[in-house]
Amino acid sequence: MTATEAWTGRYQGSVMNTFGPPQTVLVRGEGAHVWDADGRRYLDLLAGIAVNALGHGHPAIVQAVTRQLTTLGHTSNFFATEPQIELAEKLVELVGHDARVFFTNSGTEANEAAFKITRRTGRTRIVVAEGAFHGRTMGALALTSKQAYRAPFEPLPGDVTWVPYGDAAALTAAVDDTVAAVLLEPIQGEAGVVVPPDGYLRHARELTTTHGALLWLDEVQTGVGRTGDWFAHGPSGVVPDLVTLAKGLGGGIPIGACLALGDAATLLQPGNHGTTFGGNAVATAAALAVIATIESDDLLAHVVTIGDQLRRGLDDHPLVAETTGRGLLVGVVLHQPLAAEAQKAALAAGLIINNATPDRLRLAPPLILSEDEAAEAVATLRSVLDEVSA
Ligand SMILES: Cc1ncc(COP(=O)(O)O)c(C=O)c1O
């Protein structure tokens, strides 16, 4: 029995079976690579599902976490800490408008906070897009479209109206003066990196403004540099009311955030919401290190260059219908539903990728992926696509 098989057996005997069997058991990571319990090396094109923005074991995060933990670790929200305040100020600066931040530990919790903010408008109806993924807690699940995730837990919080993603006319028809918020991912991640038509977010902003509803953008997957901008909605020029973040923000240390802009910032009042761990000093110190490194290493520009390299390298493969996304959130749409086979073959070839849907692969590598690593990824993935289409 290999070490990986032994660990997998122990996993299955002790960890609740919510994810199915693990693909392998990882023991170490460095930069864009990870190693399994048998010493096999993988190029990580998924980064913990768009989380490890600086890759594995980045010294900036290691030093920030170590320094903070040896200075002051957890305090509870009865007290404020310096890194928490500095991170909130930094996020407000990056979003570019007057805002206030509520810190959480995950994306689903960031969305729970935003959901509660929408209820304080006095309205309850939320307009959400088909294909959306906003998390697994009961509130966020109510706003997540996949039936297989929802059905076992119904009834979920109600008053949700579903519209086809990217369809401006459908959005117009759905939004009226009874709507509390329109909730959208600027690019749908779990749906397989689906990009809406130009002008869609602007249209959503105009409609919500006209009808006194909030525009809530879920940037849990797309935020913090993943698309080559601090926020994927940035290039649209749209100013949302709510923005939710998590994943890449902590570079692997769990943290999420709900940003409320303008008047939305005061909808939650003392006592309306809380969390023991949210805004923890160690997690906020890690996030500050992530943001500082993205700035100092000019990673936003790098993300665009490497994302284009990956897309260009895959676009003309005969099995590829199109590549989608922006920056280092890359969708690879296949002509046939071979994504699961491709993911397995890629793993066997030492490449970690994700089969988001039966015919869509998703790549969300560390933002530090080098040109050479991207070239290696393209070469391996092309031979994997040859293999599964043969
Ligand atoms: C857009 C989006 N929102 C929310 C979530 C939920 O985040 P978490 O898994 O941290 O709860 C995800 C996770 O994939 C996501 O992609």
Side-chain angles (χ1 to χ4, degrees), residues 5-22 25:
E5 285 164 356
W7 278 111
T8 302
R10 288 172 64 178
Y11 172 97
Q12 286 171 329
S14 59
V15 178
M16 204 179 287
N17 184 18
T18 59
F19 297 104
V25 178

Side-chain angles (χ1 to χ4, degrees), residues 28 33-36 39-43 347 349-351 376:
R28 188 165 77 82
H33 288 93
V34 287
W35 284 259
D36 73 14
R40 287 203 64 208
R41 190 175 89 135
Y42 302 85
L43 181 56
L347 192 72
L351 197 63
E376 180 193 331

Side-chain angles (χ1 to χ4, degrees), residues 49 105-109 111 133-136 185 187 189-190 218-222 244 246-247 362:
I49 318 183
N105 311 290
S106 66
T108 200
E109 288 170 79
N111 283 330
F133 184 89
H134 298 295
R136 300 287 205 134
E185 293 161 82
I187 296 173
E190 298 300 300
D218 180 340
E219 295 247 21
V220 165
Q221 187 154 161
T222 52
T244 46
K247 288 195 181 277
R362 173 178 45 170

Side-chain angles (χ1 to χ4, degrees), residues 183-208:
L183 165 58
L184 296 169
E185 293 161 82
I187 296 173
Q188 285 190 332
E190 298 300 300
V193 193
V194 180
V195 182
D198 282 349
Y200 184 60
L201 292 186
R202 234 180 4 262
H203 184 68
R205 176 69 281 178
E206 283 159 17
L207 275 176
T208 45

